[in-house]
């Protein structure tokens, strides 16, 4: 078992509604096109597949998809959408769990590698991806760039969402390289807010490249988003592709 915090039944039941915008066809279009192109005629494996926000529509696009998921409640929501023969899911952590066969693509979206709270576990995640890849296969990660430039001296918190229904901000432990995402979400019409938080280990693109080298993977491409916008100094996130040598 890794240090990842476990998604509960309540969190799993709310997830799709709270991520409805990121689950729309318009939002997912570039993501699915990017991943399907890399998968080619091969199989794809999603680490931390969750409720299937990406995996299910990628399978519907014709790419054979399998998944690994630590949270049984999250996997149960996915299973209500698609059967196990069409999209098999193995319960386990993404750093050590092994599923049968080889894949042309392993992918990890929406900052999920940060759920692993130690550098050693993140390295093992890269090794596990390499273990599943066929020669020439790719490992893809979507991850935000740590927003430390927004921290003036003495400040430890950075807001990332201030909207009608949600207030979100991150607090940073710069020594341990851990951030805590804090959420105040308004539920229902009575004006009450539900409070939640989650811990993450942030990592820079260069650190991920070193993890990839340890796992025997080579950086092939890094862009700022699924549309392929060039990655630049002020990019808020990146989509990185590492390749297993032939």
């Amino acid at each position: 078992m890794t240090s990842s915090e476990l998604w509960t039944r309540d969190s799993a039941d709310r997830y799709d509604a709270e991520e409805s915008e990121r689950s729309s066809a318009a939002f997912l279009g570039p993501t699915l096109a990017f991943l399907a192109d890399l998968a080619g005629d091969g199989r794809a494996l999603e680490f931390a597949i969750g409720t299937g926000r990406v995996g299910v529509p990628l399978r519907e696009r014709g790419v054979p998809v399998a998944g690994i998921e630590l949270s049984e409640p999250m996997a149960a929501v996915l299973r209500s959408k698609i059967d196990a023969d069409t999209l098999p899911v193995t319960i386990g952590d993404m750093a050590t769990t092994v599923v049968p066969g080889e894949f042309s693509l392993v992918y990890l979206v929406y900052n999920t590698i940060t759920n692993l709270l130690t550098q050693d576990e993140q390295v093992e995640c890269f090794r596990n991806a390499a273990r599943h890849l066929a020669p020439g296969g790719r490992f893809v990660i979507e991850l935000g760039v740590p927003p430390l430039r927004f921290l003036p001296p003495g400040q430890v918190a950075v807001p990332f969402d201030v909207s009608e229904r949600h207030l979100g901000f991150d607090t940073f432990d710069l020594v341990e390289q851990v951030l805590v995402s804090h959420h105040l979400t308004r539920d229902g019409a009575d004006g009450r807010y539900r409070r939640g938080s989650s811990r993450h280990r942030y990592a820079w693109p260069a650190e991920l490249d070193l993890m990839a080298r340890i796992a025997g993977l080579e950086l092939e491409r890094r862009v700022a988003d699924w549309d392929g916008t060039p990655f630049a100094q002020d990019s808020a996130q990146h989509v990185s592709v590492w390749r297993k040598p032939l």
Side-chain angles (χ1 to χ4, degrees):
M1 182 68 68
T2 67
S3 59
S4 296
E5 296 178 347
L6 195 61
W7 287 73
T8 64
R9 168 61 63 186
D10 286 345
S11 298
D13 289 343
R14 291 193 303 263
Y15 185 82
D16 283 350
E18 293 180 347
E19 298 296 338
S20 58
E21 181 180 351
R22 297 182 68 92
S23 302
S24 67
F27 184 94
L28 284 177
T31 306
L32 301 178
F34 193 106
L35 296 174
D37 180 64
L38 289 180
D41 296 328
R43 303 166 66 210
L45 174 63
E46 181 172 354
F47 284 177
I49 194 170
T51 65
R53 180 183 67 89
V54 174
V56 170
L58 186 61
R59 181 65 186 91
E60 292 171 345
R61 196 182 178 102
V63 177
V65 177
I68 293 174
E69 174 54 44
L70 183 61
S71 167
E72 292 190 37
M74 293 287 278
V77 175
L78 179 150
R79 188 56 62 226
S80 69
K81 305 173 184 177
I82 193 167
D83 64 83
D85 289 335
T86 305
L87 200 165
V89 174
T90 300
I91 301 299
D93 69 82
M94 58 186 166
T96 64
T97 301
V98 178
V99 301
E102 285 188 325
F103 297 82
S104 61
L105 173 66
V106 177
Y107 66 95
L108 187 54
V109 298
Y110 203 10
N111 303 322
T112 312
I113 193 170
T114 67
N115 291 355
L116 300 171
L117 298 178
T118 70
Q119 186 183 68
D120 285 344
E121 289 176 353
Q122 291 179 353
V123 169
E124 288 306 311
C125 181
F126 272 82
R127 284 179 167 155
N128 200 29
R131 184 180 299 125
H132 285 90
L133 286 172
R138 276 91 169 187
F139 182 35
V140 177
I141 286 181
E142 175 192 23
L143 183 60
V145 176
L148 300 189
R149 291 194 303 170
F150 293 102
L151 282 175
Q155 182 173 313
V156 297
V158 172
F160 60 85
D161 185 31
V162 179
S163 59
E164 181 72 18
R165 294 192 61 255
H166 178 253
L167 301 174
F169 60 94
D170 293 329
T171 54
F172 293 84
D173 182 331
L174 303 181
V175 174
E176 297 297 329
Q177 207 165 307
V178 169
L179 68 84
V180 180
S181 287
H182 304 266
H183 303 269
L184 291 171
T185 306
R186 190 168 67 180
D187 281 335
D190 59 4
R192 294 185 180 182
Y193 280 82
R194 170 174 42 84
R195 182 174 182 176
S197 64
S198 58
R199 294 183 300 153
H200 306 269
R201 182 186 186 272
Y202 62 86
W204 300 94
E207 185 181 3
L208 299 182
D209 290 343
L210 183 56
M211 293 180 189
R213 289 178 60 188
I214 291 171
L217 304 176
E218 302 170 345
L219 180 66
E220 181 177 72
R221 184 184 182 196
R222 173 167 292 126
V223 291
D225 54 37
W226 297 105
D227 289 310
T229 303
F231 183 73
Q233 180 173 318
D234 58 350
S235 296
Q237 68 167 15
H238 62 98
V239 176
S240 296
V241 182
W242 298 273
R243 185 172 180 268
K244 185 173 183 177
L246 294 170

